[in-house]
Amino acid sequence: MSDKLRQFVFWTSRILASLLAALILLIFIGEAAAGGLGPLRVLTLREQLMMAAFFTAFLGLILGWLREKLGGWLVVGGMAAFYILDLAFSGSFPRGVTFLLIVFPGLLYLFSGYSNPDNEMSR
């Protein structure tokens, strides 16, 4: 892969991951400010499992900055678990592209990490 493409994927993954992580934090903080943290204490099993899967993906967005492969697998695995859980509980996948957008930086992290195996930061 050319150095220009490698740099493009490297920075695109990080910029998208940062924007999505910031958006997720903003939504979480806004919801907490509006309703407090009380609702988090009474989550159903479905909500707990889906929140854990989503948090795994969120963590991957952040960790991918330092460890591309780990971050990428956490994002992709967390969102796959989120979709599988939603299918199991509701009988359908989430509609729209919003959740699919979260997978994209994870895929870019993986592409960048595996295309440059000499990079110590990509492990």
Side-chain angles (χ1 to χ4, degrees):
M1 176 175 14
S2 74
D3 284 340
K4 284 187 177 188
L5 180 58
R6 187 176 288 125
Q7 285 296 315
F8 177 77
V9 171
F10 180 89
W11 285 111
T12 302
S13 63
R14 283 157 175 76
I15 291 167
L16 287 175
S18 298
L19 291 172
L20 286 168
L23 178 64
I24 292 166
L25 270 178
L26 184 66
I27 291 169
F28 183 78
I29 290 169
E31 288 294 320
L37 295 177
L40 287 177
R41 295 186 192 134
V42 292
L43 294 176
T44 65
L45 177 62
R46 171 191 179 174
E47 293 166 339
Q48 290 173 11
L49 292 172
M50 291 183 73
M51 184 75 87
F54 194 75
F55 181 75
T56 300
F58 172 75
L59 192 61
L61 291 172
I62 296 167
L63 289 176
W65 266 86
L66 300 174
R67 304 195 59 146
E68 292 173 316
K69 292 176 187 175
L70 174 62
W73 284 117
L74 286 173
V75 172
V76 171
M79 291 311 295
F82 183 85
Y83 269 78
I84 290 167
L85 287 166
D86 197 41
L87 178 64
F89 284 116
S90 70
S92 66
F93 289 117
R95 285 182 250 150
V97 297
T98 307
F99 291 116
L100 286 177
L101 287 176
I102 295 170
V103 175
F104 190 62
L107 294 173
L108 290 176
Y109 278 149
L110 290 173
F111 183 77
S112 182
Y114 284 106
S115 68
N116 191 9
D118 296 332
N119 184 356
E120 288 292 316
M121 298 297 280
S122 69
R123 291 186 202 173

